[in-house]
Amino acid sequence: MRLDGAAFAGLNVMPVHPNEPAFSSLWGILNHCLTPQGQRLLHSWLKQPLLDKHKIKERHDVVDSLVSDSSLRQDLAAGLRRIPDFFRITKKIQRGKGNLQDCYKLYMAIKQIPIILDTLCKHSGPFEATLTCLFVNPLKEFHEDFHYVF
């Protein structure tokens, strides 16, 4: 489902004016994102809500894991703060404007993956299987792809 402009405005999903108080919209209430990537993801989730019950339950399970395990939440937040904005860097490289500093940022981000994986693997709880399926396994594959390069 994709919300059109009228539905988006009528449901007060995003603030209409930049100087509106944060709590005046759903975005303002939910946005506790620490990274630009997180803010973009939240925006797309609000603009295109899920319809599949299974996917909704998975997302709720992940949120429940983060809410109930403050150590997991804090360690992930610390690791994710060190990850640069991949979207902006890749766009910059695609436009031919990338430089050595951008490559270094990507390299350092890839070096953070084992730390984030370790944090996720330490978690044990009722939704451990969901976290493994959604995050641990894909991150392991991603890291294995770069393990031979670096």
Side-chain angles (χ1 to χ4, degrees), residues 35-50:
T35 64
Q37 301 94 299
Q39 290 182 1
R40 278 194 298 276
L41 182 61
L42 177 61
H43 185 268
S44 73
W45 284 356
L46 291 174
K47 200 169 183 177
Q48 297 176 341
L50 290 175

Side-chain angles (χ1 to χ4, degrees), residues 6-7 38 47 49 59 66 75 98 113 123 133-134:
K47 200 169 183 177
R59 193 174 289 172
L66 293 170
D75 292 346
I113 291 173
H123 175 73
C133 180
L134 293 176

Side-chain angles (χ1 to χ4, degrees), residues 84-136:
D85 192 341
F86 279 117
F87 180 77
R88 288 193 181 158
I89 291 174
T90 55
K91 286 292 184 191
K92 191 174 174 183
I93 291 170
Q94 285 174 345
R95 287 191 312 263
K97 306 249 185 219
N99 56 32
L100 186 58
Q101 185 178 12
D102 296 323
C103 293
Y104 179 73
K105 286 179 184 178
L106 292 175
Y107 171 76
M108 293 308 293
I110 291 167
K111 290 291 197 185
Q112 287 296 314
I113 291 173
I115 297 166
I116 293 171
L117 269 171
D118 187 49
T119 300
L120 289 167
C121 289
K122 285 182 188 173
H123 175 73
S124 61
F127 307 115
E128 182 178 353
T130 303
L131 288 176
T132 300
C133 180
L134 293 176
F135 301 107
V136 174

Side-chain angles (χ1 to χ4, degrees), residues 3-5 7 20 24 46 49-50 58 73 96 98 101 110 122 146:
L3 297 177
D4 64 2
E20 282 185 25
S24 67
L46 291 174
L50 290 175
E58 279 183 342
R73 185 176 60 248
Q101 185 178 12
I110 291 167
K122 285 182 188 173
F146 283 99

Side-chain angles (χ1 to χ4, degrees), residues 110 113 138-150:
I110 291 167
I113 291 173
L139 273 175
K140 280 182 180 177
E141 287 179 27
F142 180 78
H143 186 253
E144 286 171 5
D145 289 344
F146 283 99
H147 180 71
Y148 298 109
V149 175
F150 297 112

Side-chain angles (χ1 to χ4, degrees), residues 2-20:
R2 186 172 179 88
L3 297 177
D4 64 2
F8 209 62
L11 293 170
N12 203 21
V13 175
M14 299 296 285
V16 178
H17 302 289
N19 28 342
E20 282 185 25

Side-chain angles (χ1 to χ4, degrees), residues 22-73:
F23 58 85
S24 67
S25 67
L26 183 60
W27 166 262
I29 293 168
L30 295 178
N31 185 17
H32 296 283
C33 300
L34 301 174
T35 64
Q37 301 94 299
Q39 290 182 1
R40 278 194 298 276
L41 182 61
L42 177 61
H43 185 268
S44 73
W45 284 356
L46 291 174
K47 200 169 183 177
Q48 297 176 341
L50 290 175
L51 296 174
D52 182 358
K53 288 180 185 179
H54 178 71
K55 296 270 186 201
I56 293 169
K57 178 161 177 16
E58 279 183 342
R59 193 174 289 172
H60 284 184
D61 291 349
V62 170
V63 169
D64 195 7
S65 295
L66 293 170
V67 168
S68 62
D69 189 344
S70 62
S71 173
L72 173 66
R73 185 176 60 248

